[in-house]
Amino acid sequence: MAPANKVCILGSGNWGSTAARIIGKNVQKLADFDDTVKIWVYEEMVDGQKLTDIINTKHENIKYLPGHKLPSNVVAVPDAVEVVKDATHIVVVIPHQFIQHLLNTIHGHLLSNARAISLIKGIGISNQGMTTMTQIIHRTLAIPVASLSGANIANEIAEEKYCETTIGCSDPDEAIVWRSLFNTPYFQVNCVSDVIGVEFCGALKNVVAVGAGFIDGMGLGNNTKAAIIRIGFLEMRRLAMHMSDARIQDSTFMESCGIADVITTCYGGRNRRLAEEFVKTGKPMSQLEQELLNGQKLQGYLTAGEVHSYIDSSGITDHFPLFTNIYEICYRGKLPRTIFDGLNVDFSRDTLTPSPASKD
């Protein structure tokens, strides 16, 4: 009798390929899952060969995760519809600016019992409010959607260095299934019910990382960087408070998707690195992205613009001086040293939705 479940992955960049290494090994131990894991690859030529052919013959994504073998049961496919058509569990891990086009492509081609999990670290923020990736996926595909985010630099996970991550899933039984697909001795998964909070933290920390990169670019040291990280973290919590409809739980900020991800991204992520080069070279972010990221996308720069759109239209920019300064440095040509303007803000009265365990 064939296994009841089958997992696929939409996205084969650095993080998608790393997730494929984990899932490809885990499904072989799960009796309820088919061993084959299809991964959607945006087809491109690498050294004169199709990337899908390279992955399926060498079992390595030599462009986005070189030096790390993928399990042989991970099969690269260039057609997204082909990937999802027989999958019960869909892992979505592409740059957030491309999500809607991909969802439109696969709409109408899913199993009736399909469900998804978003590994995308980005959200849509406009003057109408915040739209998360899980909301966009659910709205388009009408399936249940969970989220995964944490202090997860992909190359370190591919090297099997110990770390943690957070899954946000409103259904406790589904959370157990998603955890079984991702959890390993070196990649420890904790599950919470706050789906949107997990996503929110994963996106907003990239803006803080841009600020940390500005500090590194100016060579101002660890004390200054720690101050920017602290203020950025508190502005993340404050923004969650302003978006009261989301009911983001304060305890989520203490998970791997919260404070831990802020710390690791501000010291080791690509958003920090490009912001540092932005200060040192004076080159535009778009140019640095092309020169340094090997086809990957920079999320913090885009999210900074989206956050500013929301706080500006809401008339609350004075409550977010760091996010405002980062936006103006990125988009308005202000000097990096203006990041400190107006940072003497009192956060002591900020409150958020308590976690379920603490409501009584």
Side-chain angles (χ1 to χ4, degrees):
M1 183 174 172
N5 298 304
K6 192 167 189 176
V7 61
C8 73
I9 302 170
L10 293 174
S12 58
N14 190 233
W15 189 205
S17 297
T18 299
R21 292 186 81 246
I22 294 172
I23 294 170
K25 293 177 182 179
N26 279 352
V27 293
Q28 297 178 61
K29 307 170 190 174
L30 299 172
D32 288 343
F33 276 86
D34 191 284
D35 282 354
T36 299
V37 178
K38 293 179 184 178
I39 181 171
W40 174 65
V41 176
Y42 179 80
E43 193 70 278
E44 54 188 305
M45 302 300 292
V46 179
D47 296 332
Q49 291 182 277
K50 292 180 179 179
L51 184 55
T52 51
D53 290 342
I54 295 172
I55 293 173
N56 290 332
T57 55
K58 295 185 177 180
H59 304 295
E60 180 182 350
N61 189 335
I62 65 171
K63 180 169 183 179
Y64 296 111
L65 194 66
H68 299 286
K69 290 294 184 180
L70 300 175
S72 59
N73 59 317
V74 174
V75 179
V77 179
D79 182 350
V81 171
E82 176 66 25
V83 168
V84 302
K85 68 179 185 181
D86 57 355
T88 56
H89 291 72
I90 303 169
V91 179
V92 187
V93 53
I94 64 170
H96 81 276
Q97 59 267 41
F98 304 132
I99 183 65
Q100 191 62 64
H101 176 73
L102 177 62
L103 296 177
N104 292 342
T105 299
I106 65 174
H107 180 263
H109 298 282
L110 276 60
L111 295 177
S112 60
N113 63 335
R115 69 290 313 264
I117 188 167
S118 170
L119 276 61
I120 304 171
K121 293 192 175 182
I123 54 179
I125 301 180
S126 68
N127 52 16
Q128 280 78 44
M130 176 180 70
T131 305
T132 69
M133 295 301 108
T134 60
Q135 289 172 328
I136 292 171
I137 295 168
H138 176 72
R139 181 185 66 206
T140 307
L141 302 180
I143 61 174
V145 192
S147 58
L148 181 150
S149 186
N152 304 148
I153 294 176
N155 286 335
E156 293 183 14
I157 298 170
E159 293 166 3
E160 302 189 359
K161 296 177 180 178
Y162 181 88
C163 70
E164 298 177 308
T165 198
T166 311
I167 285 178
C169 185
S170 58
D171 183 331
D173 293 331
E174 270 305 308
I176 293 171
V177 177
W178 284 121
R179 186 179 187 275
S180 72
L181 288 169
F182 286 96
N183 194 68
T184 74
Y186 64 87
F187 191 62
Q188 293 286 291
V189 178
N190 187 43
C191 298
V192 300
S193 61
D194 187 9
V195 179
I196 292 177
V198 171
E199 293 181 273
F200 181 90
C201 291
L204 269 292
K205 56 89 184 185
N206 285 327
V207 182
V208 184
V210 171
F214 291 159
I215 300 304
D216 289 340
M218 292 185 282
L220 294 179
N222 291 322
N223 291 344
T224 306
K225 188 171 178 178
I228 292 299
I229 292 172
R230 186 192 78 89
I231 295 168
F233 180 71
L234 291 174
E235 289 196 8
M236 286 171 57
R237 291 178 71 247
R238 176 170 282 185
L239 187 58
M241 180 185 68
H242 276 277
M243 294 176 166
S244 57
D245 289 346
R247 294 192 60 79
I248 295 170
Q249 297 163 11
D250 201 20
S251 58
T252 303
F253 285 87
M254 295 299 109
E255 295 289 338
S256 179
C257 64
I259 185 61
D261 200 9
V262 172
I263 293 170
T264 196
T265 307
C266 287
Y267 280 90
R270 60 179 178 260
N271 291 280
R272 184 219 63 81
R273 180 163 64 101
L274 261 70
E276 179 181 8
E277 291 301 314
F278 175 83
V279 174
K280 288 182 174 179
T281 66
K283 295 179 180 179
M285 286 285 191
S286 57
Q287 182 179 345
L288 291 169
E289 181 182 72
Q290 292 179 343
E291 292 178 356
L292 300 177
L293 292 190
N294 191 33
Q296 298 180 77
K297 295 299 178 182
L298 187 67
Q299 302 297 327
Y301 174 76
L302 292 174
T303 305
E306 293 166 341
V307 168
H308 186 267
S309 173
Y310 173 78
I311 62 176
D312 184 51
S313 64
S314 302
I316 52 174
T317 54
D318 57 328
H319 293 275
F320 299 92
L322 180 60
F323 285 171
T324 299
N325 293 345
I326 290 170
Y327 166 79
E328 291 184 340
I329 293 167
C330 288
Y331 289 91
R332 298 283 178 83
K334 284 202 171 184
L335 295 175
R337 64 174 177 266
T338 63
I339 193 172
F340 305 109
D341 291 355
L343 292 190
N344 187 21
V345 178
D346 180 13
F347 294 95
S348 63
R349 297 187 180 183
D350 287 3
T351 58
L352 270 170
T353 304
S355 62
S358 64
K359 281 183 178 178
D360 53 14

